[in-house]
Amino acid sequence: MFTKLTPINKENHANLKVKAIESFEFASKFHIASVMVHEFVRAASVYPIVFLEDKAQDEFRPVTLLSLDAGENLFVDVNGKWQASYVPAIIRRYPFALAKNPEQDSFTVCVDEDSAYVGTEEGQPLFDENGEPTAVIENVKRYLGELQQMEAFTKAFCHFLSENNLFTPLNMRVRAADQIKNVTGCYVINEERLNNLSDKKFLEIKEKRYLAPIYSHLTSLSQIERLALLKQGVSAIESPAAATEGNLQ
């Protein structure tokens, strides 16, 4: 998604402006998108939510499947419109992101300087004539800060599931475009193991507010069949329309 992510500062970006996202063409090749626990309920009504293992970090992370094939996003049409009611936050935050400062326990707001949505001619300025951050910067900081807190909660959620051996590999066969596809390489919550947890452990899940995302994830798995239908050109979304989620600006 990002090709030239650079920390924002008034020396280098005094004249930089950002335009509202009018097309999601930049995401047309994404077949997965990371999501956070707080998104599960809304995302589950459209996309399958599964978990990927990051062996280097020894952790799992949740993602939505946007296609069963790499390099394809079934929810972005030829005009760059998002054909679903919910757009994952990681895509809505573009062209901004947070980068961790290597020597401090803090983060810096960055922008993709190569993005078609930033430049010096059109859009809302990041800094005013006095070199002070505009409302755009403040809104971005607040939004990315909220996402960072959600990400910390999501990591704790995934750690809990892993610690309690609730992940199991997904191995599913679906028919897509006259082909039988094996959906593998990701993980789902094992419902049988979940149901066999002790009452004490189940109460802990409830107290941690993990119940809703767990069942949202399990319910979302039926959306894998929707992806197969979309691949065949049969819209399983009753009235597709561009997402109404607001941009950062």
Side-chain angles (χ1 to χ4, degrees), residues 35 38-39 42-43 45-47 82 84-89 92 243 245:
V35 286
H38 305 71
E39 300 180 83
R42 293 196 64 187
S45 66
V46 184
Y47 319 104
W82 196 280
S85 58
Y86 185 74
V87 182
R92 281 185 281 123
E245 294 295 333

Side-chain angles (χ1 to χ4, degrees), residues 51-220:
F51 298 85
L52 299 182
E53 183 180 16
D54 185 340
K55 293 185 178 180
Q57 299 294 325
D58 191 27
E59 62 184 21
F60 291 82
R61 63 185 177 96
V63 300
T64 58
L65 296 180
L66 305 176
S67 174
L68 299 179
D69 295 302
E72 175 185 67
N73 185 341
L74 295 170
F75 296 91
V76 176
D77 68 15
V78 294
N79 297 313
K81 300 297 184 181
W82 196 280
Q83 299 296 302
S85 58
Y86 185 74
V87 182
I90 193 172
I91 292 175
R92 281 185 281 123
R93 75 179 182 179
Y94 186 78
F96 299 100
L98 284 180
K100 186 173 177 59
N101 296 318
E103 299 178 358
Q104 306 175 44
D105 187 22
S106 61
F107 294 85
T108 299
V109 178
C110 301
V111 64
D112 184 2
E113 292 182 335
D114 282 347
S115 170
Y117 294 100
V118 299
T120 58
E121 300 298 324
E122 300 178 59
Q124 299 181 19
L126 300 184
F127 296 92
D128 62 22
E129 59 274 10
N130 298 317
E132 296 299 321
T134 65
V136 173
I137 291 287
E138 297 307 316
N139 290 339
V140 168
K141 283 183 177 180
R142 182 173 61 254
Y143 183 71
L144 293 181
E146 291 172 355
L147 294 186
Q148 186 62 34
Q149 293 178 3
M150 294 178 188
E151 184 176 347
F153 186 90
T154 300
K155 284 188 174 183
F157 172 74
C158 292
H159 179 75
F160 177 89
L161 297 177
S162 178
E163 188 178 54
N164 288 278
N165 193 32
L166 290 175
F167 285 125
T168 191
L170 176 64
N171 191 354
M172 183 176 180
R173 290 164 61 88
V174 296
R175 179 177 292 277
D178 298 325
Q179 297 181 4
I180 299 297
K181 295 190 68 68
N182 292 315
V183 184
T184 59
C186 51
Y187 293 78
V188 296
I189 294 174
N190 188 302
E191 193 168 0
E192 182 178 355
R193 293 178 200 165
L194 176 67
N195 291 332
N196 287 333
L197 291 176
S198 67
D199 291 347
K200 180 179 179 181
K201 184 63 67 173
F202 206 81
L203 181 60
E204 183 180 354
I205 291 176
K206 178 182 176 182
E207 291 173 342
K208 289 179 178 292
R209 299 185 177 182
Y210 291 166
L211 277 179
I214 285 175
Y215 287 116
S216 292
H217 152 69
L218 291 172
T219 301
S220 79

